[in-house]
Each structure stands twice: as C-alpha cells, then as structure tokens.
Amino acid sequence: MSGVPADGFTSLDVAMTPPTPLLRVTGISKHYATPVLSDIALDLHAGEVLALTGENGAGKSTLSKIICGLVQPTTGTLTLTGQPFQPASRSHAERLGVRMVMQELSLIPTLSVAENLLLDKLPHRFGMIDQRALYEQAKRQMAVIGLDDIDPGVLVGSLGIGHQQMVEIARNLVGDCKLLILDEPTAMLTDREIAHLFEQIARLKARGVGIVYISHRLDELQRIADRVAVLRDGRLVDVRPMADVTQDELVQRMVGHVVDEGAQRPRRVAGAVRLEVRGLHCGEQVQAVDLSLHAGEIMGLAGLVGAGRTELLRLIFGADRKDGGELFLDRKAQPVTIDSPMTAIRHGIGLVTEDRKAQGLLLNQSIRVNTTLANLAAVNRRGWLNYAEEHDVTRRLTDILRVKYGSVEQVVGELSGGNQQKVVFARWLHRDCNVLLLDEPTRGVDIGARADLYQELDRLAADGKAMLMVSSDLRELMTVCDRIGVMSAGRLVGVFERGEWTEQILLEACFSGYANLTPTPQSAAASL
Amino acid sequence: MQSSSQTISVTPINQHASVNRWRSALGGYIGLIATLAAMVVLFGSLSKYFLTADTFITIANDIPALAIMAVGMTYVLVIAGIDLSIGSVMALGAAITAIALQQWQWGVLAAALLGLMVGLGCGLVTGMVSVGWRLPSFIVSLGMLEIARGSAYIATDSRTQYIGSNVEWLSAPIAGGISPAFILALVIVIVAQIVLSRTVFGRYMIGIGTNEEAMRLAGVDPRPVKVVVFALLGVLASLAGLIQTSRLEAADPNMGVGMELQVIAAVVIGGTSLMGGRGSVINTFFGVLIIAVLEAGLAQVGASDPTKRIITGCVIVAAVVLDMIRERRRTRHA
C-alpha cells in the first residue's frame, strides 16, 4: 500500500515518521482497579486503514473509547493533525472530526433513514419538518457511502441489518470526518454485505479518512487493512504492515502461545441416532428438513444469514411453533411432542441461543444464578434453594470452562463476551442434555475462550452427547464438526462428511438455494 | 471445592466481593433506616407529642393493611408487572365477607375465607387475562379496578355494611397495644422475603422480571409463575380488606379508593424497580413505615390534608431519585 510510509516496520518509534500523522497516540495508559492499557504509542495516517486486534479484554475497546472521548486516559497524550487532542466527551471528539461506529446500532427503527441520518438537525420551517430538504440532504449523505439504492423515506426497521449498518456509518460521516473507528462492523453482516462495506471503506480511504478497524476476523483484516496493531493484556505487542504477517502469526501474537486451530482432528466414531428430524417445516423459513443426529458427534449447520438455520434450531427446541414435522429421540418408534422449550429440555434437548444477552443470560444477575437456572431442580430441596450447593456447582463448572471472574456472585453483565458465553455453556453442562443445539456459540468470543469451548465440545462428544452447531464461520465448522449440513433458502441442501468437504464445496451449497435469484452463481461466489 | 483451595489468588478477591456485597445489602437498609430515623427526629422536635408510645402503637396498628398489600405488590413489580386493582379488590373482599356474615348468617371463618377466595379470583382473572393474551397488566388491572369496585357497590347496594364486633379481635390490641393484624403483617413480610430470596419460586420471579425470554429458553414456563403472583396479591388485598373491616367494624364499598397508589409508592420508596427483576420485601416494609410515619407526623404537627399530600408526593419522588443515584453509583463501581 503506497499510503503506508516506508517506516511501517518501525512505527512503534513514532519520532521517525516524516509527515504529520493524522492521529498520534503517545504513552497512553488507563488504569481502573488494574491497568487496562499500558503505554500505548501508535500513529494513524490519513487515508490509512489500521486494524486493531487482540483477544477480548486486550484493551481494543478502551483504546478506541479514549480516542473518541468516551474514556479519559490515566496518562499519555493524543495529537490530531499535530494539534494536542484531549476530547472531554464524545461530542467534543465528534466536533473535531473523530467518530466511532459502535457494535450496537443506535438507530431508531420506527423512523425513516433520512430522519435517522439528520436526527440532531432536522431541517424545519415553523416547527414543521421540511420533507424535501430532509430527503435531499439525506440523499447527499447517503451518496458518500454508496447507499444510492435506498429510498431515504424507508423506515430503518424495514432494512436488512447490513443496510442498517451502512446507515449508521453514513450518519457518522457528516461534517468533517477525519477519523472513523469501526468496532466489529461485520459481526452481523453476510458476506455480500461485507464486500459492500469494504468497497465503501476503500472510498473513505480515498477521501483521506483515517480508519481504525477493530475485528476478530483475521481474514477480513487481510483484505482491508494497511497495517495491523496487536494488543495483548493492554500492551501494544506489534504494529506491522498487513502484508508482512500471516493469520497464524497474528493469532500467536494475540494469545502469546501457539493455538493450533486448523489441526486435523481424528474422525470420531458416531454412535446411535439420538435425534431424528423428519419433514420439519415452518413457512418459507424451514422447508421439509430431514436430519439425524448421532450420539458422540458434532454436526455443523452452515448457510448464509437468513437460510433458516436459527429457525431450524428454534423449531427443534420448541421455541417457535412448527407447521409440521416429527421428532424422534433415541430410535424410539413414537415421535415426541415438543411444543415448548420446557418439553424440549425435559426430553434432554438444550439450546445455546444466538443472542446471549437478549435470550440467554440474566445480565444483572450473578454467575451463580445464571449457571443453575436451567436445572434448579438439582440445587433445591422442596423448593428451598441450597446456596452452598449452587455455589459449589457453579465453581466446578466455571472452573472446567476456565471462566475468568472474581467471585461467582459477580454480575454476569460485567464479564467479557467470551466469559459470558462460557456461563451459558456452564448452564447447559449443569443440565446435562443429551442433545445440545448451539447457535453461533463463538460469536464475539475471543480466540482463547474459543479454544476452551471447542475443547468442551470435544469432551461432550466423547461423553456421547449429540450436538448440532450453527456457525457463520465455515472454517470453524470445518475444524470442529464431524459432518456439516448446509442450509440454503430454508432447505437442507446437503450433508457432508469430514473429508468430503472443501470450503468451495460448502460455499457453493450455501448459495445453491438462491441460484434462481442470482442468475450468475459463479459471480456471487466470487464476490466473497 | 478442590479447585478453590488450590487457587490461592481467588480467595482474597472472593472475600472482597462478599464484603462489598454485605456492604451494599446493608447499604440498602441503612439508607431507608436513616431516612426513617431522620423523620422520627424531625417530627419529635416539631411536636412534643410525637415521641410517645401512643404514636408508635397507632402507627403499628395503622399499617397492616398497607404492609400486606405492599408485600404482594413487591412480587408483582419484581416480575415486571403492576396491579392497579387492589384498592377495589380489597373493598370487594370486605363487602362479600360482610354480606356473608350479615345476610347469609355465615360463621366468621367461613365468611372470611369466602372474602379471601373472592380476592384470589380477582387476582387470578387479572393474571390469567394478562398472561394468556399477553396484555400489559397495567391495562388489565385497570379494568379489574372498575369491575371490582362496581361489584362491591352492587353487593352492598352502595351502603356501608356494619358487622359489629365479629372480627374486631383482629385489630384489637393485645400485648403492649399491638394488634394481631400487625403481627400477621410482620410474619407475612418475613416469610415473603425468605420466599423471594431463598426459594426456587423466588428465583423464578426475579428471573422472569429480568429477562422473561431467557427464562423460557432455559426451560422455565413464566406463565404459571406470573399468574400465581397476581393471584397472591389478590388474596393479600382481600386480607387487607378484612383487617380494615375489623378496625372499622364495617365494610365500606368506598374502602381503599386510591390505595393502590399508596401501596405502589411504599414499594417504590423501598427501592423495588418498576422495570422488574429487582426488589426486596424488607425494604418495602421500610417504605411502608416511612409513609406511615410521615402521615402520623404531619398530622401531629397540624399539617392540612393538601399539605400532607404535597409533602408525601415530594418524598416519593425524592426516594426514587436517591435510589436511582445509588443504583447508578453501584453499577459504575462494579
């Protein structure tokens, strides 16, 4: 990348950079009870994409919050285009052209795109909103990020999540935006939406906007970033041109030791059928799905967002009402009736939900309360809870999963994403289900915690449990699973054994259901 | 257990956290107790008659009805519901008891039980309608408020039903001027607190108030729990009606008008969240005491009724503001 100065290797040594950097971070530290960031020195140049990566809790979000004025550093200084930069608040930083797009979208779904874009300065005349001016200004703003295809009058809530993300970014590009921080912008996006986002990032670069791009997804970083900065335990361990570093090296830097994610696993011997699904259907979302899940195997479920994977899991679990279909457990001739999560759990089926905050955890309750929730029967005597037993159970399970916490009475909402997910896992370990449905179990989970979860899945498989795991990360499925089913447009279009699949084969299957929608499937696959 | 003894570094953090927990738990009580003490001192200095045994006995005998309903309302708020009908349910329960005693010549016990059943029925209907059709309990209980009040008027022919000294014993002073009703209220408060914090049912209530969908997906059916909580409040409301009847020796169909708001105020002063998931029956009881002391104190210093209402209103808002500030500080430190 020509925009990167030749001293990319030595950019830790900031004094040697000849042009004035857009942003210079010098000696930034942040201490709460313990140091969260220590002595960070970093430059960002105009028109550059700097990837910021590291495990959860490594300090990425603290650093970005300092830059955009949400958090004040304990020590250290910032300069913006050579001027001292001490943002006292987010709005202060925004006035100076520094903006951050958070992971959670802050759009109002019941208002139009235009209204969302101009929320704090709606054009008005005598107190009435000037619709024409509103739409014109909105269109101009949307054009900047290539959102020309959307009607500014459309309600935000009716847009797909990808477009909502683009609207959120467009909202941050008003005025004199010099520096844009994107925090995990692709977590909710399909591959096609990601490609679109990257095109727009390239446009912004060309306009001279400096971009800090925070992500776990290393393959994305390689596509988009000029340089990469790796944080570990609050320290900057490496800054380099992206081209000089492999994904394996990055992972090693992040965790400090080698994680062998791609290792060939022994193929497990599957046992008897635990769960058989016949003709399960529900509207357009899930159509006539047949599958069988064996004891001691992990079956993956791949597909594009909206292919019906989450819906399938929820139907099996009884969380949503099905239109038809039968479930058989343990090769019994009679189908079981599962019409609610309560009956599913009684039959030994558990579901780790996609959205742990909204559907999994009681965020303001303790680790202990969250761990024992699905199996309070085991920790009470005639309705009276046994706190000591709850405490012990929680300690034992969270130790197995290597949850990092101060005390089991700590509120779950204070834990990092990875640790929160481990608590959800602990709950289902406590319940001891024979069939475990997992929906994106590693979303927002750092690599170290992921490895712990994979290890636990292996242990469960060895224990004879059957698992069905949805993931949007194909490589994860290829690493973890014994078989991979692919859903496309509501149908299970194929099931592949370990050894039969390649990334190409799986991807083609993912797109196959949409073949008549996208006339040239090859080009769609290529755009990935 | 084994691992906890192996990991040495965990222990101090643990102690630290538990000390904090104690402090915050006590802190919750201390704020309310300090407020209460301050009010007692204030009224004591304003009126020489305030700091007498009579005042406190009067207060103790005044509060059972309020306290008992506040217990049930705490549960309802913990599951993120609300019940506006309790003032009317109280009147209806009392009216039916009085009718059974007077017109049908039932025994005291049978009549009282019938009154409680009526309260149970009202609570069940509110709970089942709002849970079954997923309607806001605010609206359903608003409907029940009118239905129960109207029924009380019809049952009593809009006339106060005098029952004589049939159930007078409930509110008559026994040891030290304290009535059985007060002792009953205390027992209910203590049992309810233990149920909330120590039983599976209590855990379900807190979980449902925090995140109902997460509870459902963890295999807990929230519906029966919610219905039971509303039914329980119905029973407690009619029990309060019975106590009120025993004090007045009459069932007035206008009994308890606006009482629901006083009850909600007491619960909220006690720090229970209207958003659900957080609450304490003990704190509710302190809230009840604060309202009762305020009432008695203002009466003694000769405040007029409008003044009393204005001051009570200010206290409610101030209590909620203080609680919110404390809660925010707590979560920020955490």
Side-chain angles (χ1 to χ4, degrees):
Chain A
M1 182 64 219
S2 58
V4 183
D7 65 4
F9 286 101
T10 58
S11 61
L12 276 168
D13 183 6
V14 289
M16 284 181 61
T17 315
T20 311
L22 174 61
L23 175 81
R24 172 166 290 177
V25 177
T26 316
I28 286 283
S29 301
K30 178 68 190 175
H31 299 249
Y32 291 103
T34 51
V36 183
L37 279 182
S38 313
D39 200 24
I40 305 291
L42 197 59
D43 279 3
L44 175 70
H45 298 270
E48 180 189 33
V49 176
L50 175 71
L52 196 56
T53 190
E55 282 196 274
N56 283 349
K60 305 184 298 276
S61 52
T62 310
L63 179 58
S64 45
K65 281 176 181 170
I66 287 173
I67 295 170
C68 75
L70 281 169
V71 170
Q72 306 303 316
T74 311
T75 60
T77 56
L78 301 172
T79 61
L80 190 67
T81 56
Q83 304 296 314
F85 173 57
Q86 286 178 295
S89 67
R90 190 170 182 192
S91 53
H92 182 196
E94 285 179 355
R95 276 198 302 280
L96 295 169
V98 176
R99 290 178 171 266
M100 176 165 177
V101 176
M102 303 286 216
Q103 256 182 73
E104 287 83 23
L105 300 183
S106 55
L107 301 171
I108 300 169
T110 50
L111 293 183
S112 71
V113 171
E115 285 163 329
N116 267 289
L117 286 175
L118 297 160
L119 205 53
D120 50 348
K121 46 188 170 310
L122 291 170
H124 54 84
R125 223 182 282 155
F126 314 117
M128 308 277 281
I129 292 176
D130 182 349
Q131 293 286 344
R132 201 189 302 166
L134 174 70
Y135 285 178
E136 269 170 21
Q137 290 179 25
K139 277 204 158 149
R140 225 173 299 141
Q141 212 170 315
M142 288 156 71
V144 173
I145 194 155
L147 266 178
D148 324 48
D149 54 330
I150 288 182
D151 174 6
V154 158
L155 294 185
V156 161
S158 66
L159 296 176
I161 190 80
H163 275 125
Q164 290 191 21
Q165 186 104 39
M166 302 304 294
V167 173
E168 179 89 31
I169 293 171
R171 188 158 91 164
N172 279 292
L173 291 178
V174 290
D176 171 35
C177 180
K178 297 191 189 89
L179 198 166
L180 186 64
I181 303 170
L182 299 170
D183 188 2
E184 295 278 359
T186 56
M188 308 284 280
L189 301 190
T190 62
D191 291 320
R192 223 176 312 182
E193 289 166 335
I194 291 172
H196 183 62
L197 174 69
F198 285 1
E199 279 171 33
Q200 304 318 322
I201 290 177
R203 278 188 185 214
L204 295 175
K205 272 179 64 169
R207 285 180 54 210
V209 177
I211 292 166
V212 177
Y213 187 96
I214 303 172
S215 182
H216 286 310
R217 300 186 175 188
L218 303 181
D219 46 343
E220 277 178 10
L221 301 188
Q222 265 179 335
R223 283 165 61 193
I224 195 75
D226 302 315
R227 286 190 302 152
V228 57
V230 180
L231 288 171
R232 186 205 307 156
D233 299 330
R235 291 176 185 281
L236 189 64
V237 293
D238 206 357
V239 188
R240 294 208 227 186
M242 195 70 222
D244 292 0
V245 59
T246 67
Q247 293 187 21
D248 289 334
E249 281 169 345
L250 274 182
V251 173
Q252 280 172 35
R253 306 258 166 191
M254 276 183 230
V255 295
H257 58 89
V258 180
V259 173
D260 197 7
E261 218 187 329
Q264 266 301 328
R265 285 147 176 269
R267 199 171 147 181
R268 274 183 284 262
V269 185
V273 175
R274 277 270 194 221
L275 171 73
E276 192 174 346
V277 175
R278 274 190 216 152
L280 197 60
H281 62 101
C282 178
E284 300 262 291
Q285 292 169 320
V286 175
Q287 299 168 33
V289 169
D290 297 308
L291 64 84
S292 49
L293 203 57
H294 298 257
E297 77 164 347
I298 305 174
M299 179 174 174
L301 211 47
L304 302 175
V305 170
R309 299 168 300 167
T310 296
E311 290 78 4
L312 175 61
L313 293 196
R314 286 179 61 93
L315 287 182
I316 295 174
F317 191 59
D320 296 323
R321 197 162 301 211
K322 53 178 176 268
D323 291 343
E326 287 173 323
L327 299 175
F328 299 85
L329 283 174
D330 297 320
R331 290 191 292 176
K332 292 201 180 89
Q334 284 298 312
V336 289
T337 316
I338 290 178
D339 51 9
S340 70
M342 288 54 95
T343 47
I345 290 171
R346 222 170 294 140
H347 283 109
I349 302 175
L351 171 68
V352 173
T353 53
E354 182 181 18
D355 184 345
R356 61 181 164 263
K357 288 188 179 172
Q359 300 174 348
L361 294 166
L362 307 179
L363 278 181
N364 59 7
Q365 300 293 332
S366 66
I367 298 172
R368 170 176 56 82
V369 167
N370 275 286
T371 301
T372 56
L373 198 61
N375 198 12
L376 287 178
V379 291
N380 84 81
R381 228 151 270 132
R382 296 201 186 120
W384 296 93
L385 291 167
N386 185 339
Y387 275 23
E389 206 170 318
E390 271 194 278
H391 191 275
D392 291 349
V393 162
T394 308
R395 281 301 287 264
R396 183 169 57 77
L397 294 173
T398 49
D399 280 351
I400 290 175
L401 291 165
R402 286 179 242 165
V403 184
K404 288 175 198 149
Y405 57 82
S407 132
V408 293
E409 298 306 324
Q410 198 177 343
V411 169
V412 156
E414 296 167 4
L415 301 177
S416 69
N419 282 318
Q420 286 183 3
Q421 189 69 326
K422 286 177 174 180
V423 171
V424 177
F425 256 71
R427 174 189 299 169
W428 293 109
L429 290 187
H430 186 213
R431 182 70 208 195
D432 195 26
C433 295
N434 281 331
V435 177
L436 201 51
L437 311 170
L438 306 148
D439 198 356
E440 302 280 5
T442 59
R443 170 175 292 173
V445 171
D446 60 86
I447 289 170
R450 260 178 214 212
D452 290 341
L453 291 177
Y454 295 155
Q455 203 181 332
E456 189 53 32
L457 292 180
D458 284 343
R459 203 188 58 78
L460 289 171
D463 226 23
K465 312 294 187 197
M467 278 159 285
L468 184 59
M469 171 171 161
V470 166
S471 174
S472 290
D473 185 346
L474 274 182
R475 286 180 50 190
E476 173 178 77
L477 292 178
M478 292 162 71
T479 310
V480 174
C481 299
D482 304 298
R483 290 189 301 154
I484 298 179
V486 179
M487 284 192 79
S488 190
R491 293 179 187 280
L492 187 67
V493 292
V495 178
F496 303 88
E497 300 271 337
R498 180 172 282 281
E500 288 175 6
W501 67 56
T502 64
E503 205 162 344
Q504 186 65 28
I505 290 173
L506 293 174
L507 266 181
E508 280 167 8
C510 288
F511 274 96
S512 61
Y514 303 95
N516 50 355
L517 301 177
T518 45
T520 50
Q522 291 86 354
S523 67
S527 81
L528 289 164
Chain B
M1 286 308 276
Q2 277 176 331
S3 53
S4 72
S5 54
Q6 282 163 7
T7 24
I8 307 151
S9 67
V10 172
T11 324
I13 305 168
N14 235 342
Q15 278 169 354
H16 180 63
S18 72
V19 165
N20 272 347
R21 190 153 41 88
W22 272 111
R23 200 176 290 155
S24 70
L26 267 179
Y29 294 136
I30 283 171
L32 290 164
I33 292 170
T35 311
L36 206 50
M39 283 169 54
V40 169
V41 169
L42 178 71
F43 288 124
S45 64
L46 289 176
S47 160
K48 58 182 174 179
Y49 302 109
F50 186 79
L51 287 176
T52 59
D54 274 357
T55 310
F56 293 103
I57 288 170
T58 310
I59 289 174
N61 291 335
D62 257 348
I63 60 170
L66 182 61
I68 286 172
M69 288 198 284
V71 167
M73 187 64 85
T74 306
Y75 279 10
V76 169
L77 292 194
V78 162
I79 62 163
I82 197 158
D83 190 336
L84 300 176
S85 70
I86 53 173
S88 303
V89 171
M90 178 185 179
L92 180 60
I96 298 293
T97 303
I99 303 272
L101 277 170
Q102 291 297 101
Q103 296 179 10
W104 307 336
Q105 304 292 320
W106 285 25
V108 173
L109 195 65
L113 273 178
L114 181 67
L116 296 182
M117 288 300 125
V118 168
L120 176 75
C122 292
L124 271 179
V125 170
T126 306
M128 282 161 63
V129 170
S130 74
V131 169
W133 279 293
R134 292 186 206 160
L135 299 170
S137 52
F138 185 96
I139 303 296
V140 178
S141 65
L142 191 62
M144 181 54 75
L145 179 150
E146 295 297 335
I147 293 166
R149 183 66 67 188
S151 309
Y153 284 134
I154 289 173
T156 59
D157 215 3
S158 302
R159 281 194 292 264
T160 301
Q161 303 291 307
Y162 292 95
I163 56 162
S165 54
N166 266 323
V167 282
E168 196 191 13
W169 58 271
L170 197 55
S171 297
I174 44 170
I178 295 295
S179 66
F182 179 74
I183 294 164
L184 179 65
L186 265 188
V187 170
I188 289 177
V189 165
I190 291 164
V191 170
Q193 176 62 45
I194 294 172
V195 167
L196 181 61
S197 60
R198 284 275 160 183
T199 65
V200 173
F201 187 74
R203 178 71 54 79
Y204 284 173
M205 284 194 282
I206 290 170
I208 289 165
T210 308
N211 188 342
E212 193 172 330
E213 180 64 5
M215 290 301 281
R216 196 173 78 94
L217 294 176
V220 178
D221 190 346
R223 293 170 297 178
V225 176
K226 292 172 85 173
V227 172
V228 166
V229 167
F230 278 101
L232 187 67
L233 178 55
V235 173
L236 292 174
S238 54
L239 178 60
L242 194 65
I243 289 170
Q244 217 63 331
T245 308
S246 85
R247 289 181 68 196
L248 305 171
E249 299 185 6
D252 177 356
N254 286 315
M255 176 194 287
V257 172
M259 189 86 170
E260 60 280 347
L261 299 182
Q262 211 182 353
V263 169
I264 293 168
V267 177
V268 168
I269 287 174
T272 295
S273 165
L274 280 173
M275 311 305 291
R278 185 166 69 93
S280 147
V281 181
I282 301 288
N283 282 348
T284 290
F285 187 65
F286 286 122
V288 169
L289 287 179
I290 285 174
I291 283 198
V293 167
L294 194 63
E295 189 104 331
L298 288 172
Q300 285 213 357
V301 299
S304 68
D305 197 51
T307 318
K308 268 162 63 177
R309 296 187 72 154
I310 290 170
I311 293 176
T312 310
C314 293
V315 168
I316 293 169
V317 174
V320 178
V321 169
L322 283 176
D323 182 65
M324 193 195 61
I325 290 170
R326 204 186 58 212
E327 181 67 15
R328 283 194 189 155
R329 193 174 299 163
R330 194 184 68 82
T331 47
R332 197 175 308 148
H333 280 309

